[in-house]
Amino acid sequence: MIVLGIETSCDETAAAVVRREADGHGAILSSLVRAQLAEHAPYGGVVPEIAARAHIAVLDRLIAQAMAEAGVGFDALAGVAVTSGPGLVGGLVVGATTGKAVALAAGKPFVAVNHLEAHALTARLTDGVTFPYLALLVSGGHTQLLEVRGVGDYVRLGTTIDDALGEAFDKTAKLLGLPYPGGPAVERAAASGNPARFALPLPLHDRPGLDFSFAGLKTAVRLAAERAAPLSPQDVADLCASFQATVAAIVGRRAERALTGFRERRPGTPPVLVVAGGVAANGAIRAALSAAAAKSGARLVAAPLALCGDNAAMVAWAGAERLALGLTDALDAPIRPRWPLDANAAPMHGGGRLGARA
Ligand code: KG4
Ligand code: ZN
């Protein structure tokens, strides 16, 4: 089963072709991502209108290139899968309209994919992980811990009550004068910093449950920066290292707790923790998760770097998983700027730079 995937929910335009075998194995035939860094950099964050226009400018060529690299024509496709939410409305309209046009013209099924589901299922494409498993999604727009029970079957165990983790990295970078996107810049600066120099708070640390909070931490970084001003490059590096070590400790602690809960609920199921999303590229966070998994006797499956950030291979794969179950969508399927994976979970305030999309 060969599926074309399209991703335009935020500031990456992406097209990919993925193959799924009947036994559930998958292969990426092509995966192209064009980030809009230059377009948004002057504003220090994603500007929705600029994002939508930039998607229009490149999406058709990107699709043609993805098909050419995969060496297949539209007639070979089993379907066209498009991120239909959650995300920025303008970009979602561009992707969905384009994908529906391809599906209609080629006479192929259309699949509306939830972006978070695409992140959560990536580990099945890359590592053949079987249900059920735990997934930690950490990105600029979302921070959540899920129990993944099956395709379309998710239970949200915890989420952020204010900022998304990637957003906390981006805001920390901005206040320290580092470039956008902030996550990689903070990680680079932290490499030469002293993580023990600034003692930062661990929000919700001793409270039971699996929710996250990063807004207070961001304020603490700002206050520490103000006290240390004017900041030398070493001060910035030390602040970045302290911030990164603190969030890694928070994430590690939550992961450990989630794995303990999983073991209790499912004795006999070997626990697996999957981490995906842009922040999953962070070495300190990966190390903290790896330590948490080792301590809990669990397997950690971290998305390969190329599939951590937004991409269309994950969308094509989620589409293939849905197609394999006979799940398709009509061509009048709506886009859903807010689309929680777990319909039963209480909505949270905030939830990242994409508004309440988490
Ligand atoms: O998944 P993604 O590409 O897009 C969203 O759906 O948001 O994630 C982007 C986020 C940004 O906030 C970026 O700063 C963060 O992931 N990020 C990182 C790193 N690389 C990207 N955060 C920490 N460390 C990194 N190395
Ligand atoms: Zn994402």
Side-chain angles (χ1 to χ4, degrees), residues 9-10 83-92 115 336-339 354 357:
S9 67
C10 191
T83 298
S84 297
L88 299 171
V89 62
L92 293 172
H115 180 90
R336 300 179 63 178
R338 295 179 186 195
W339 185 0
L354 303 177
R357 79 174 226 185

Side-chain angles (χ1 to χ4, degrees), residues 8-196:
T8 55
S9 67
C10 191
D11 58 344
E12 272 96 15
T13 317
V17 179
V18 159
R19 188 177 59 225
R20 184 184 185 280
E21 311 295 348
D23 66 0
H25 276 87
I28 299 174
L29 305 185
S30 65
S31 179
L32 301 173
V33 181
R34 188 202 168 270
Q36 304 172 351
L37 293 181
E39 286 91 332
H40 301 292
Y43 308 96
V46 178
V47 183
E49 176 65 19
I50 292 176
R53 287 168 187 272
H55 289 308
I56 293 177
V58 299
L59 184 56
D60 55 353
R61 268 177 290 143
L62 211 61
I63 291 171
Q65 204 181 329
M67 296 294 292
E69 277 189 23
V72 297
F74 289 126
D75 54 337
L77 297 178
V80 181
V82 183
T83 298
S84 297
L88 299 171
V89 62
L92 293 172
V93 168
V94 173
T97 311
T98 307
K100 287 174 181 179
V102 173
L104 180 66
K108 302 293 180 182
F110 173 77
V111 188
V113 168
N114 181 308
H115 180 90
L116 304 176
E117 172 166 69
H119 274 304
L121 296 179
T122 300
R124 290 171 51 77
L125 164 65
T126 56
D127 294 82
V129 173
T130 54
F131 301 123
Y133 56 89
L134 288 174
L136 172 68
L137 307 184
V138 276
S139 150
H142 31 87
T143 301
Q144 32 189 286
L145 262 165
L146 300 163
E147 183 167 292
V148 182
R149 296 182 171 176
V151 174
D153 188 2
Y154 307 90
V155 176
R156 193 179 76 192
L157 304 172
T159 187
T160 178
I161 60 171
D162 40 58
D163 293 348
L165 182 51
E167 187 182 16
F169 270 94
D170 293 337
K171 287 180 174 172
T172 296
K174 199 168 183 175
L175 82 91
L176 296 177
L178 297 173
Y180 171 85
V186 168
E187 183 168 18
R188 265 193 312 274
S192 52
N194 170 10

Side-chain angles (χ1 to χ4, degrees), residues 224-269:
E226 282 168 10
R227 274 195 298 272
L231 298 179
S232 69
Q234 192 57 51
D235 293 332
V236 170
D238 292 346
L239 278 163
C240 286
S242 302
F243 166 79
Q244 189 176 263
T246 304
V247 294
I250 294 169
V251 169
R253 172 88 165 242
R254 290 293 180 284
E256 220 178 296
R257 205 180 269 173
L259 284 165
T260 304
F262 186 91
R263 271 189 180 292
E264 283 166 8
R265 279 191 308 279
R266 302 179 174 279
T269 306

Side-chain angles (χ1 to χ4, degrees), residues 306-333:
L307 297 180
C308 278
D310 289 346
N311 65 87
M314 69 179 189
V315 178
W317 175 255
E321 293 241 49
R322 298 188 80 81
L323 282 165
L325 296 172
L327 300 170
T328 63
D329 294 273
L331 289 182
D332 62 355

